[in-house]
Amino acid sequence: MTQTEQSTRRLLDRLFVPLTVGPTLLWIASIIVYPTAKLFWSSLFFQNPITGAKEFVGLRNFERLLFQSGGWLGTFNPDFVSYTWHTVVYVGFSVSISFVLGLGIAILLNKDMKGRGWFRTAVIVPWILPYVMSGLMWRWMFQTQYGAINGVLTQAGIIGEKIAFLSDPTLAMIALIVADVWVFTPFIIIILLAGLQNVPAQLYDAAEVDGASRWARFWNVTYPFLKPSILVALTIRIIFDIRALDIVWVMTEGGPGKSTEVWASWLYRTAQVFSKPGEGAALGVVMLAVTFGIVTVLYKLFGDTPYA
Amino acid sequence: MSTKQSPLDKLGEALGFGSETNEWPAVRRERLVAYGLLTLYVFVVWFPIYYIFVTSIQPTSEVLSLPINFLPQQATAQNYVEIFSNRPFETYTLNSIVVATTTTVVCVVLGTLSGYTFSRYEFLGNKALLLSIVAARMIPPIALIVPFFEIMSNPPLVGGLTGSLYDTRIALILTYTFFNLPFAVWIMKNYFDGVPRSLDEQAKVDGCSRWEGFFKIVLPVAKPGIAATAILAFIFSWNEFVFALVLTSTEQAQTLPIAVSLFVADDFVDWAHLAAGGMIAALPGILFGLFFQRYIVSGLTQGAVKE
C-alpha cells in the first residue's frame, strides 16, 4: 500500500461518522424543521381563496377555529366542540375495544401450541392492507341494499327490513369504529404479544406453586412486564387514530350531516376543499400540541422515560 | 385414566396436543378453547376480505342482485380486465411500484448507515439527535398537509430548477421518505445494538477499515433487520393515501389507493370494479403478510417496543 492510499484510507475512516449519519440528518432536518416551521408560519396568514393573496392575521385563525365570532372564553365555536367530541368518541371507543380484543387474542396466541405461526399470519393481514381499501370494503359491507351485513341479517331472518347503517348518525359512527377496530387490532396484538413473550416462564410456575389465582398472576407477573408494550401500543394507536383520515373519508366523508366529522376530516376539508390553508394550519398546530400532550400524559401513567 | 379415549381426546390428539394423558383435562381443554376462539376470530376477520374478493369476480349484474350470493355463481376475470382497459390502471400500478420501491431503497440505505453509526459511535450530540429523530415520529403527518402542499407546489431550493413538484412521483417519494426514515433509523439502530461489538473489533484486528468492517463483516449479519425495514417501508408507502390525495391530481402520479377511491362517484359506487381495484391494491399486503409475517413482526416490535 502506498503512502497516498494509506492516507486516503485514514481520511475516509475519519469521515465514517459524518458520511453515514450526515445524509440522514440533513434529510430529516431539512424536511422536518422546514415544514414544521412553515406550519406555524402558515397558521398566521389568511389566504384569499380567489386571488391567492396572503395577509398576515396573527392569531386570528386560532380565534376563528376555537371560538365563536366576536367572543372569547366561554363561547367556543360549536363546530370545534362537536368535532372534538366526535374525535373523542371515535378514538376512545375504537382504541379501547381494539385494546381489549387485542390483549385477549395476544394472550391466546401466547400459548404454546401447534399452528401458532399460522394464526399469527392470519391475524396480522388486515393491518397491512391499504386503509383506503379497508374503508371502502367496510362501506361495501355496510351498504344498505347489497351489503354483506344486511345480507346476512335479512337472509338469516334476524331483521325484516334492511338497515341504512351509513345514513344514521349513530350507526355511521359505530360503522367507523367497527372498521377501525378491524384494521388496527392486529397492531395491538403484535405489540402486546412481543411484551408477553418477555415474561419469564419460571415466574408463572412460581406463582402457580404459590397458589395465585389467574387474576393475581396477571396483575403481579404479567402486567409489570407488559407495561412498556401497553404504553407503546396505546400511544401509537391513539396518535394514529387522531390523525387518520383514510377510513373516515372514504366511508362517510364526515357525514351524514356532520355527524362523523373528526379533526382529521375537518382539517382536510378546511385546508383543501374550502381552501383555507391558514385555518387548516392552525388546526394542524392544535393537533400537534394535543398529540404531544397525550404522549406526555401516557408516559406519566405507564412509563418514566419519554420517547425512549 | 388411560382406559378409554373420549372423542374430545381424539380431537385433541389430532390437533397435536401430545398424548401425555396427565395433561388432560385442564390444560388440554384450555388449548381447545384457545383454538376455538382463535378460529372464530380469524373467520370473522377474513370474512370482509372474502366478500370483496367474491364481489371482484362477479359481473356487476350479479353483484347488484338479491338475495346476495355469498358463493359466486359464475366466477369471471371480467372486472380485472375492464379496469385495465377502461382506466389507466397499469399507470397507477407503475406509479405505486416506483414510489414505494424508491422510498424503500432510500430509507434502507440511509437508515442502515446511520442506524449503525448511532449504535456504535459517540459523537457530538448523538443522544439529542437520536431523540429528535424519535420525536419526529410523533408529529402527526396530517398536521403537515398544508406546508407539504405549499412546499411541493413551490419548492424553495430546487424551485428555480424544476418548478412545481405538485403532481409528480418525486413529491410523493420525498414525502414518504420523510415519514419512513426516522422509523428505519430506529429499527436499524436497535438491530445493530443486538449485533455483538466483538465482530467490529475482530474486523479491526484483522486490518479492515471502518468501511470494510461495516460492509464485509457487520452488514451481512444485519440482513433480517434490513428485510424488516424494507418490508415496512414498502408497505407504508404502498398504502399511503392522504398525501397522495393532496399532492397529486392526475394519473401522472396518482397511486393505487387513489385509483381505488376514484371508483366512488358522488352518489354512485361501481362496486364490482372497485372490488377488483381494491384486490390489486391489497395484493402486496396480503402476500407480505402471508410470506414475511415474521419480519413484519420483528421490525414492528424492534422499532416500537425496544428501548
Side-chain angles (χ1 to χ4, degrees):
Chain A
M1 210 181 287
T2 66
Q3 197 92 48
T4 40
E5 264 176 2
Q6 248 176 357
S7 62
T8 325
R9 195 181 147 127
R10 224 174 299 134
L11 182 69
L12 271 177
D13 257 16
R14 207 169 301 155
L15 288 176
F16 187 83
V17 170
L19 283 178
T20 49
V21 184
T24 299
L25 292 181
L26 203 68
W27 186 283
I28 293 182
S30 67
I31 213 164
I32 273 183
V33 176
Y34 186 65
T36 312
K38 200 158 167 74
L39 172 74
F40 284 93
W41 187 240
S42 301
S43 71
L44 305 176
F45 287 85
F46 170 78
Q47 186 173 6
N48 188 314
I50 300 154
T51 62
K54 284 187 183 179
E55 183 195 340
F56 184 83
V57 292
L59 295 176
R60 207 92 55 77
N61 285 323
F62 290 91
E63 191 192 337
R64 210 189 312 240
L65 193 75
L66 299 174
F67 305 103
Q68 232 159 1
S69 54
W72 273 97
L73 287 171
T75 50
F76 281 109
N77 175 355
D79 283 349
F80 180 77
V81 175
S82 93
Y83 303 157
T84 304
W85 175 240
H86 297 159
T87 311
V88 170
V89 169
Y90 177 60
V91 176
F93 275 100
S94 46
V95 171
S96 28
I97 294 171
S98 66
F99 180 78
V100 173
L101 194 61
L103 180 62
I105 300 293
I107 289 174
L108 290 178
L109 278 174
N110 194 38
K111 287 189 194 310
D112 174 31
M113 59 189 194
K114 268 192 187 169
R116 196 166 70 168
W118 192 91
F119 275 118
R120 215 165 62 167
T121 300
V123 156
I124 194 183
V125 166
W127 183 72
I128 28 185
L129 303 184
Y131 306 139
V132 169
M133 127 88 186
S134 304
L136 289 167
M137 187 184 80
W138 278 100
R139 183 166 162 176
W140 177 223
M141 295 285 291
F142 281 113
Q143 208 267 354
T144 314
Q145 276 303 312
Y146 308 103
I149 294 178
N150 271 314
V152 168
L153 292 177
T154 48
Q155 285 169 23
I158 298 170
I159 53 169
E161 206 134 296
K162 296 201 163 173
I163 302 169
F165 289 102
L166 298 177
S167 316
D168 176 273
T170 314
L171 293 179
M173 182 56 94
I174 293 174
L176 284 182
I177 293 170
V178 168
D180 199 74
V181 167
W182 184 86
V183 170
F184 291 106
T185 304
F187 175 77
I188 304 260
I189 296 175
I190 296 168
I191 301 295
L192 293 188
L193 190 56
L196 286 172
Q197 286 172 351
N198 287 337
V199 185
Q202 307 95 291
L203 279 183
Y204 276 123
D205 298 341
E208 207 159 11
V209 170
D210 289 349
S213 75
R214 238 166 226 272
W215 283 111
R217 266 182 279 162
F218 182 81
W219 281 117
N220 300 321
V221 182
T222 314
Y223 180 68
F225 281 91
L226 208 54
K227 248 169 102 177
S229 306
I230 293 178
L231 172 65
V232 168
L234 286 182
T235 318
I236 297 185
R237 187 78 181 72
I238 291 173
I239 294 175
F240 199 93
D241 247 20
I242 293 176
R243 74 195 193 191
L245 173 68
D246 320 40
I247 292 173
V248 175
W249 194 254
V250 298
M251 273 181 82
T252 65
E253 285 188 38
K258 286 276 178 283
S259 58
T260 57
E261 187 89 320
V262 291
W263 278 7
S265 56
W266 188 28
L267 197 161
Y268 177 70
R269 200 186 301 280
T270 311
Q272 284 298 123
V273 185
F274 298 152
S275 53
K276 292 184 203 158
E279 275 182 54
L283 183 53
V285 171
V286 172
M287 281 175 79
L288 204 66
V290 170
T291 304
F292 276 94
I294 289 174
V295 173
T296 311
V297 170
L298 279 170
Y299 273 91
K300 283 256 159 66
L301 286 176
F302 288 100
D304 27 33
T305 48
Y307 314 122
Chain B
M1 196 80 196
S2 61
T3 44
K4 232 178 124 189
Q5 267 198 325
S6 73
L8 218 52
D9 262 322
K10 283 186 194 151
L11 181 64
E13 239 166 71
L15 289 171
F17 292 161
S19 52
E20 312 92 80
T21 35
N22 59 354
E23 251 192 279
W24 195 256
V27 176
R28 285 178 158 200
R29 195 170 56 219
E30 213 171 84
R31 280 194 200 162
L32 211 58
V33 170
Y35 271 111
L37 290 175
L38 283 173
T39 310
L40 180 73
Y41 181 79
V42 168
F43 188 77
V44 172
V45 159
W46 275 76
F47 178 71
I49 302 178
Y50 167 77
Y51 187 59
I52 202 142
F53 171 69
V54 167
T55 307
S56 80
I57 57 167
Q58 283 181 316
T60 304
S61 59
E62 216 152 295
V63 169
L64 302 181
S65 69
L66 291 172
I68 294 168
N69 291 315
F70 288 103
L71 288 169
Q73 300 302 298
Q74 47 193 92
T76 166
Q78 187 192 328
N79 298 319
Y80 289 89
V81 175
E82 278 168 9
I83 58 171
F84 278 94
S85 53
N86 299 344
R87 289 166 183 255
F89 248 74
E90 66 282 354
T91 316
Y92 298 137
T93 312
L94 185 69
N95 287 341
S96 276
I97 292 173
V98 169
V99 169
T101 313
T102 316
T103 306
T104 305
V105 170
V106 176
C107 286
V108 165
V109 170
L110 295 184
T112 306
L113 284 171
S114 49
Y116 174 73
T117 302
F118 272 119
S119 161
R120 291 296 191 266
Y121 294 96
E122 297 263 332
F123 51 93
L124 189 66
N126 66 337
K127 288 245 168 61
L129 286 172
L130 195 59
L131 204 67
S132 51
I133 288 181
V134 181
R137 281 194 331 189
M138 300 285 171
I139 296 179
I142 197 174
L144 298 177
I145 57 174
V146 173
F148 266 94
F149 178 78
E150 289 173 345
I151 291 166
M152 293 309 171
S153 307
N154 190 11
L157 290 177
V158 282
L161 301 173
T162 62
S164 170
L165 291 176
Y166 177 75
D167 201 24
T168 61
R169 292 170 185 163
I170 296 171
L172 293 183
I173 293 168
L174 289 172
T175 311
Y176 295 172
T177 310
F178 163 53
F179 292 119
N180 284 306
L181 190 51
F183 197 64
V185 174
W186 197 242
I187 299 177
M188 288 315 299
K189 190 241 169 209
N190 283 325
Y191 196 86
F192 284 121
D193 282 349
V195 175
R197 274 158 188 273
S198 54
L199 266 185
D200 308 50
E201 276 147 27
Q202 190 57 46
K204 207 169 166 187
V205 171
D206 292 345
C208 289
S209 73
R210 284 178 175 179
W211 295 93
E212 286 167 344
F214 172 69
F215 280 110
K216 289 187 186 153
I217 311 292
V218 184
L219 202 58
V221 189
K223 273 182 194 155
I226 295 174
T229 310
I231 289 171
L232 286 169
F234 187 89
I235 291 178
F236 287 144
S237 353
W238 181 275
N239 291 352
E240 206 284 331
F241 172 68
V242 177
F243 280 83
L245 184 67
V246 175
L247 297 177
T248 67
S249 58
T250 67
E251 61 184 81
Q252 183 179 244
Q254 282 172 327
T255 52
L256 282 171
I258 302 297
V260 176
S261 74
L262 292 177
F263 284 106
V264 182
D266 278 341
D267 281 314
F268 170 78
V269 184
D270 183 357
W271 288 112
H273 292 105
L274 185 150
M279 287 307 293
I280 292 174
L283 204 60
I286 293 178
L287 292 179
F288 278 127
L290 293 181
F291 296 109
F292 301 106
Q293 171 262 121
R294 201 159 52 88
Y295 293 108
I296 296 171
V297 171
S298 74
L300 262 188
T301 44
Q302 240 147 39
V305 182
K306 279 206 185 157
E307 311 242 326

